[in-house]
Amino acid sequence: MGKGTDKLYITHSEWASEDAYSASAGSGVYKSKVAGASFKRLPFNFCAVSLQPFNHPVCTSNGTIFDLTNILPWLKKHGTNPVTGLPLKSSELFKLNFAKNDEGEMVDPVTFKVFTDNTHIVALKTTGNVFAWETVERLNVKAKMWKDLVSDEEFGRKDIITLQDPQNVEARDLSSFKYVQDGISTLTEEQGRERNDPSRNVNREALGSSAKVLKAKEAIARAREQRGKDPNKNSAPEGNKVVRVSTNGAQVQNTSAHTGRTLPYNAAQHTTGKAAASFTSTGLTPHTSGERALLTDEEYMLKPRRVKIKGYARIQTNLGDLNVELQTEYAPKAVWNFVQLSKKGYYKDVTFHRNIRNFMLQGGDPTGTGKGGTSIWGKNFNDEFDGPLTHDSRGMLSMANKGKNTNSSQFFITYRPAKHLDRKHTIFGRIVGGLETLSRLENAPTESSDRPIEDITILDVVVFVDPFEEFQKQKRESDEVEKEKQEIINQGGREDERTTWTGKRIRGDGTVVNDGGGGAVGKYLKAVAANDVGDADRGEADEIIGDWEREIDEEPVKKKVKLGGFGNFDSW
């Protein structure tokens, strides 16, 4: 068991050696210093000053990357390179252009390979475009084609800047940075004040329910300070929100769903998830009910069959105009994309790159190649097949795509029914005017690749009726009407609504109006009382007694006793 011996135990010297192993420590546990133990690598997408992901990347000639918003205050204060300590000017910085995919990851603009910490990344000083080294080496260096693969600008070998070399990881070692070794702070004055603020130095997310106690203390301190400034002003609680304190000191918001409040119009079908999250985490404020999540106006309107107003637009081409009716009810996302891009001027001077006689006309790509174009959201959006629309006639307007759920900005217009395109391409409109123009477009001469010989250009797309603006306008008008009705109800209702079934009118404050109106028996009593009041108002006329004659009371007529029968037994 021992080293080089037949002992069945390990001696103390063997346990204490540098290559000892144990249950809690590995080899070299007793070494005073391990080589490279202080090595910390800076990721390629981090700023060398703030040590945070950059948003506006710039670099020096030696490949050190900074964020422009962080390096400019440093240069203004120190005028040196924070990494090397050498003099540095802002004019020596080069802007970097990183390409990104739909997921927001930085990629090579040619091969679309995602950059990682193990990718050899280079940039061109003349354009600032960032590539993978294998792309530049294969297509530029070995091919001796010294032009930028994106902008087609010329460059030289000396213009290639290495941003990250996986074979030279020491170049991005944090411990070798000059300002780290000197212990110089890179914070601005504002950042320094925030860091020195005691209330900001506490990670409240890690405190759990105790963070609510700190918030409560701060609120009390602010309230006291406000009362000190204005002692006559009494602070009232906000709304009817009930806050109670649980046994562990945390504030629990009573957000019960059974408070009688009506749901907002943009309430989603799903909840916010706060109840479940607070149930399983002590770092969140306890919530005792499932509140509905709220949708934005755009998300609310882009639900199928919600906006049923049809839109109308005109596609102006160099061969004539096409009037389009947009089907918002069944394809709201496609209509929204088309309308917003048109208002933005995205389709101005864009050519139709594909024209197949007796089939369709395709356009909407600013590059004119059929491979470009982006949606208003900057990424592809899903197909919309929930509706009765089909490619059953000439002049149907549909989205072009590269497969399932890959709609962008390109669209096509059919020249004939194309049932084989149903449920493959989203239909969002149809041609309702300009069929002569459509015939001229169909008869335009084309090349063997179906590209028009003479460019068919979209001069502009004019939106006459934006269905979403009309929907919001109607929504605002209906809200105003409901608001007026609610105000009338709060004031006690209209005149006819304030009259009860007994004929009494009720004021806005809830009191009953005692007037002569009403169809009940009481109106006769009121009339007699009014006559008595009128006699009393006549003054001295009451003294004329001679005009009044007392009438002799007549005896009531006795009822005749019916003969026959037992009678009422009075004579018994």
Side-chain angles (χ1 to χ4, degrees):
M1 186 173 181
K3 296 182 180 179
T5 64
D6 56 353
K7 298 178 182 178
L8 299 179
Y9 59 92
I10 298 176
T11 63
H12 177 270
S13 60
E14 292 173 343
W15 275 112
S17 62
E18 292 184 349
D19 58 347
Y21 289 88
S22 68
S24 60
S27 176
V29 67
Y30 293 104
K31 286 186 178 181
S32 59
K33 184 177 181 181
V34 179
S38 61
F39 175 79
K40 292 182 179 180
R41 183 179 180 180
L42 181 69
F44 76 93
N45 59 337
F46 275 52
C47 171
V49 177
S50 63
L51 306 183
Q52 298 294 327
F54 52 70
N55 294 320
H56 309 284
V58 294
C59 76
T60 61
S61 56
N62 61 354
T64 306
I65 305 178
F66 302 104
D67 194 302
L68 186 63
T69 57
N70 295 319
I71 190 60
L72 288 181
W74 174 275
L75 294 178
K76 185 177 180 181
K77 184 177 181 180
H78 302 280
T80 60
N81 189 328
V83 175
T84 61
L86 300 177
L88 180 65
K89 298 179 181 179
S90 58
S91 59
E92 299 175 1
L93 299 174
F94 306 99
K95 181 182 178 182
L96 299 179
N97 302 319
F98 281 89
K100 295 184 179 181
N101 56 13
D102 293 341
E103 287 75 21
E105 299 172 325
M106 298 180 184
V107 296
D108 183 283
V110 178
T111 61
F112 294 99
K113 289 185 177 180
V114 179
F115 290 156
T116 65
D117 290 335
N118 298 318
T119 306
H120 192 169
I121 306 173
V122 296
L124 302 184
K125 186 185 298 184
T126 56
T127 61
N129 294 327
V130 181
F131 301 90
W133 166 246
E134 59 179 356
T135 302
V136 176
E137 182 183 24
R138 181 182 303 173
L139 301 179
N140 292 114
V141 178
K142 291 184 178 180
K144 296 182 179 180
M145 196 275 293
W146 300 100
K147 289 186 177 181
D148 192 302
L149 299 174
V150 175
S151 62
D152 206 31
E153 296 184 21
E154 294 185 357
F155 68 94
R157 185 182 290 270
K158 61 180 181 180
D159 296 329
I160 301 177
I161 303 174
T162 301
L163 302 180
Q164 175 179 265
D165 187 0
Q167 304 298 328
N168 184 21
V169 292
E170 290 80 6
R172 304 186 65 81
D173 184 8
L174 291 176
S175 60
S176 65
F177 289 1
K178 179 67 176 176
Y179 77 93
V180 175
Q181 295 175 351
D182 296 343
I184 301 175
S185 175
T186 61
L187 300 176
T188 61
E189 295 181 0
E190 183 178 357
Q191 292 173 343
R193 288 194 299 269
E194 291 181 358
R195 179 164 292 187
N196 294 329
D197 188 358
S199 62
R200 295 179 179 270
N201 294 334
V202 180
N203 185 7
R204 299 186 180 184
E205 295 181 356
L207 290 179
S209 301
S210 302
K212 307 305 174 185
V213 179
L214 295 179
K215 289 184 178 180
K217 288 183 177 180
E218 292 178 2
I220 293 173
R222 287 194 299 269
R224 287 177 178 173
E225 184 180 357
Q226 229 169 2
R227 282 199 301 269
K229 294 180 181 179
D230 189 3
N232 297 325
K233 184 177 180 181
N234 296 326
S235 59
E238 296 182 4
N240 297 325
K241 187 177 180 181
V242 180
V243 179
R244 59 184 178 83
V245 180
S246 61
T247 55
N248 59 358
Q251 294 182 359
V252 180
Q253 298 182 3
N254 187 8
T255 56
S256 176
H258 305 287
T259 56
R261 293 181 298 177
T262 58
L263 289 175
Y265 73 95
N266 57 343
Q269 296 297 326
H270 57 276
T271 64
T272 58
K274 292 182 180 180
S278 62
F279 181 75
T280 57
S281 174
T282 58
L284 298 176
T285 304
H287 288 261
T288 57
S289 69
E291 297 178 349
R292 294 280 190 91
L294 298 181
L295 302 175
T296 62
D297 289 340
E298 179 180 337
E299 293 173 341
Y300 175 75
M301 291 188 297
L302 294 188
K303 295 292 183 182
R305 291 184 171 86
R306 178 157 288 164
V307 180
K308 299 183 179 181
I309 304 172
K310 294 183 179 181
Y312 293 92
R314 174 177 294 169
I315 303 176
Q316 300 175 351
T317 70
N318 57 343
L319 296 182
D321 298 340
L322 297 172
N323 295 332
V324 180
E325 181 184 72
L326 303 176
Q327 304 291 338
T328 317
E329 183 177 0
Y330 305 112
K333 292 181 181 178
V335 173
W336 174 276
N337 178 67
F338 182 79
V339 169
Q340 298 303 322
L341 290 179
S342 301
K343 287 185 174 182
K344 188 180 176 182
Y346 187 85
Y347 293 121
K348 278 188 178 181
D349 301 326
V350 175
T351 60
F352 287 99
H353 59 272
R354 193 179 178 200
N355 187 12
I356 303 177
R357 182 181 174 85
N358 204 27
F359 180 35
M360 63 89 195
L361 173 69
Q362 182 176 347
D365 178 12
T367 64
T369 60
K371 299 180 181 178
T374 56
S375 69
I376 192 64
W377 300 284
K379 59 181 181 180
N380 297 335
F381 61 95
N382 294 344
D383 298 322
E384 295 172 292
F385 300 141
D386 187 14
L389 302 178
T390 58
H391 298 85
D392 57 353
S393 63
R394 177 183 174 89
M396 300 303 295
L397 181 63
S398 302
M399 295 298 299
N401 57 43
K402 295 177 287 187
K404 183 180 180 181
N405 298 329
T406 58
N407 301 293
S408 57
S409 65
Q410 296 189 39
F411 59 89
F412 65 90
I413 305 171
T414 60
Y415 290 139
R416 53 163 292 180
K419 301 293 289 184
H420 63 283
L421 300 180
D422 292 347
R423 306 197 65 80
K424 294 181 181 179
H425 296 271
T426 300
I427 304 172
F428 67 97
R430 63 188 182 93
I431 303 298
V432 294
L435 296 180
E436 301 84 1
T437 302
L438 189 63
S439 299
R440 286 195 294 269
L441 294 172
E442 183 178 8
N443 295 326
T446 59
E447 300 174 354
S448 58
S449 59
D450 297 325
R451 188 179 186 87
I453 297 176
E454 296 182 0
D455 288 343
I456 303 175
T457 308
I458 300 176
L459 303 180
D460 196 5
V461 178
V462 182
V463 179
F464 295 120
V465 178
D466 186 343
F468 302 100
E469 288 185 356
E470 293 294 325
F471 178 80
Q472 290 178 332
K473 182 180 178 181
Q474 293 181 4
K475 184 69 174 62
R476 287 192 297 269
E477 292 176 354
S478 62
D479 291 343
E480 289 294 331
V481 173
E482 291 295 330
K483 186 177 179 181
E484 292 178 0
K485 290 182 179 179
Q486 188 63 35
E487 289 179 356
I488 293 174
I489 293 174
N490 295 337
Q491 294 174 1
R494 295 189 180 90
E495 194 70 24
D496 55 347
E497 293 175 351
R498 291 198 295 264
T499 303
T500 65
W501 66 275
T502 60
K504 297 181 180 179
R505 291 193 304 109
I506 303 175
R507 295 193 182 96
D509 56 358
T511 59
V512 179
V513 180
N514 293 321
D515 54 4
V521 178
K523 67 180 181 180
Y524 301 105
L525 300 178
K526 293 177 183 178
V528 174
N531 293 332
D532 293 342
V533 173
D535 294 339
D537 291 340
R538 282 197 292 268
E540 297 179 356
D542 292 340
E543 297 180 358
I544 302 176
I545 303 175
D547 295 337
W548 178 78
E549 295 180 358
R550 181 183 299 274
E551 296 180 358
I552 301 173
D553 295 336
E554 297 179 358
E555 293 183 1
V557 180
K558 293 184 179 181
K559 294 182 179 180
K560 295 180 181 181
V561 180
K562 295 181 179 181
L563 300 177
F566 294 101
N568 58 0
F569 302 100
D570 289 341
S571 58
W572 283 34

